[in-house]
């Protein structure tokens, strides 16, 4: 099953493309709003010199939406949920990783006692029901005890993996503000074109940052939703109200997402100094035949045109501390070759002060894969060997925790043997 099937519309999912492939130091940030000038490659480099001694990043994603990785199912006892979480943390240590990216706001909900959004349904089976413990607080403490960083993974705009507003908890913000949500492709999303929504989702995420000593705020690849055939994202009213002065709706949408990123970057240091800000986008910004600055790929979509996410700009402006592109294709893929994308991203981050961590598709490494490369336990090890040819690559992250623990064909073990001879501390 591909990542989209695994997540069923979850954070970090890769949309089906024409490829037949489905594409998971605050001092560096510039506070200037998008379109405000300045920044650029040089602006992101300020305050980030001499990082040669920084240990490489070795991370894994822990997806909670639809119980992909954890908890194994909704409705388990608090003790059993905690036990499973600690087992995953221990597996990260066993594989000599040093960071865990835990999905704590999978769908406008929370894995901590948030005053703004309800408890996640993936804990108890019913949105808004107290699970009887504090998963995020426990995860931060237990990760740190094991020498692991804990990156809090938030999905900014997804409200629900269905479009039935009556199924939302009675206290849900969308029940109180129905105009905030848009139905699209059988799901519900917050409308990125509404300034009040943009402020609210930041507030919801920053509540967790204020409460817990998380090491980073992490966003996945969902901004405006992936295109769905025959579906229309109805933001007409918001565009009419706020879109004046833009050449196109696409430009306005990109501006909305740019604001979300730049505003979050500016607010984070005031809430928790030193917390980092990272994003793991779909790995293709634009194809080279569409934009000379793009990659030499022929992907069926790109973040700039299809998700209205100008990921390259965020790097160049220094709004984020790290980028972890989901390079979920094998070496030699005819339309999106891993050995093409990694150099493109290395060139993109060069001189910006933004760290580059490559997202790796461990979930594809199964004996039943239709692609021979993914049936080879050495494929991911070759990825790391290739990436090490580029000094800008400072680490890797693996999707996802379930595969890190189970390692069905030994691909993770091969990575550890070939590239992780000893444990390294987190940053």
């Amino acid at each position: 099953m591909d990542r989209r099937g695994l997540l069923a519309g979850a954070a970090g999912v890769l949309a089906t493309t024409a490829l037949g492939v489905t594409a998971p130091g605050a001092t560096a940030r510039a506070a200037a709003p998008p379109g405000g000038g300045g920044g650029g490659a040089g602006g992101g480099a300020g305050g980030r010199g001499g990082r040669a001694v920084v240990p490489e990043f070795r991370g894994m994603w822990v997806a909670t939406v639809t119980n992909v990785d954890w908890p194994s199912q909704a409705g388990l006892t608090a003790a059993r949920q905690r036990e499973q979480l600690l087992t995953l943390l221990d597996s990260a240590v066993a594989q000599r990783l040093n960071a865990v990216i835990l999905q704590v706001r999978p769908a406008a909900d929370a894995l901590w006692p948030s005053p703004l959004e309800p408890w996640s349904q993936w804990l108890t089976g019913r949105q808004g029901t107290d699970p009887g413990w504090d998963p995020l607080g426990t995860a931060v403490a237990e990760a740190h005890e094991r020498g692991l960083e804990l990156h809090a993974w938030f999905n900014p705009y997804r409200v629900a993996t269905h479009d039935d507003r009556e199924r939302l908890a009675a206290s849900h913000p969308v029940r109180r503000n129905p105009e905030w949500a848009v139905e699209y492709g059988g799901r519900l999303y917050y409308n990125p074109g509404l300034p009040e929504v943009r402020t609210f989702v930041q507030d919801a995420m920053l509540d967790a940052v204020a409460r817990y000593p998380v090491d980073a705020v992490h966003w996945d690849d969902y901004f405006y939703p992936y295109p769905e055939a025959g579906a229309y994202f109805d933001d007409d009213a918001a565009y009419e109200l706020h879109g004046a002065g833009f050449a196109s709706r696409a430009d306005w949408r990109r501006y909305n997402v740019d604001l979300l990123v730049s505003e979050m970057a500016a607010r984070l240091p005031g809430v928790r100094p030193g917390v980092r800000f990272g994003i793991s986008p779909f790995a293709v910004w634009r194809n080279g035949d569409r934009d000379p600055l793009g990659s030499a790929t022929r992907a069926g979509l790109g973040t700039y045109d299809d998700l209205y996410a100008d990921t390259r700009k965020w790097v160049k402006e220094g709004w984020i501390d790290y980028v972890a592109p989901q390079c979920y294709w094998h070496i030699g893929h005819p339309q999106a070759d891993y050995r093409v994308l990694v150099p493109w991203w290395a060139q993109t981050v060069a001189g910006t002060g933004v760290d580059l961590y490559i997202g790796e598709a461990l979930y594809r490494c199964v004996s039943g894969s239709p692609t021979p490369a993914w049936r080879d336990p050495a494929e991911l090890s070759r990825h790391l060997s290739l990436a090490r040819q580029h000094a800008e690559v400072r680490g890797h992250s693996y999707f996802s925790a379930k595969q890190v623990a189970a390692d069905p064909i030994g691909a993770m073990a091969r990575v550890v043997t070939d590239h992780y001879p000893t444990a390294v501390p987190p940053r």
Side-chain angles (χ1 to χ4, degrees), residues 247-313:
S248 67
R249 188 175 305 210
D251 285 346
W252 171 71
R253 286 177 173 177
R254 276 187 289 272
Y255 180 79
N256 294 333
V257 181
D258 284 351
L259 276 178
L260 180 74
V261 175
S262 63
E263 288 175 355
M264 192 67 170
R267 294 181 67 183
L268 273 171
V271 176
R272 185 170 296 279
V275 70
R276 304 180 77 216
F277 184 22
I279 296 177
S280 59
F282 180 82
V284 178
W285 171 70
R286 300 189 92 184
N287 293 316
D289 62 355
R290 193 163 195 172
D291 189 319
L293 295 176
S295 52
T297 52
R298 290 178 291 153
L301 59 81
T303 63
Y304 181 92
D305 298 289
D306 298 293
L307 306 183
Y308 308 100
D310 193 349
T311 53
R312 182 180 181 276
K313 179 179 182 178

Side-chain angles (χ1 to χ4, degrees), residues 55-61 92-101 147-149 151 357-358 384 388 394-398 404 412 415-427:
E56 68 179 328
F57 185 85
R58 303 176 182 176
M60 74 176 186
W61 281 283
V93 173
Q95 301 288 19
R96 298 176 184 157
L97 305 183
N98 59 12
V100 172
I101 304 169
L148 298 166
E149 291 186 2
H151 294 215
Y357 310 141
I358 303 299
L384 271 69
R388 282 186 173 168
R394 299 186 177 273
H396 300 258
S397 191
Y398 302 91
V404 169
M412 192 71 217
V415 166
V416 174
T417 297
D418 293 349
H419 301 281
Y420 300 161
T422 60
V424 298
R427 288 183 49 90

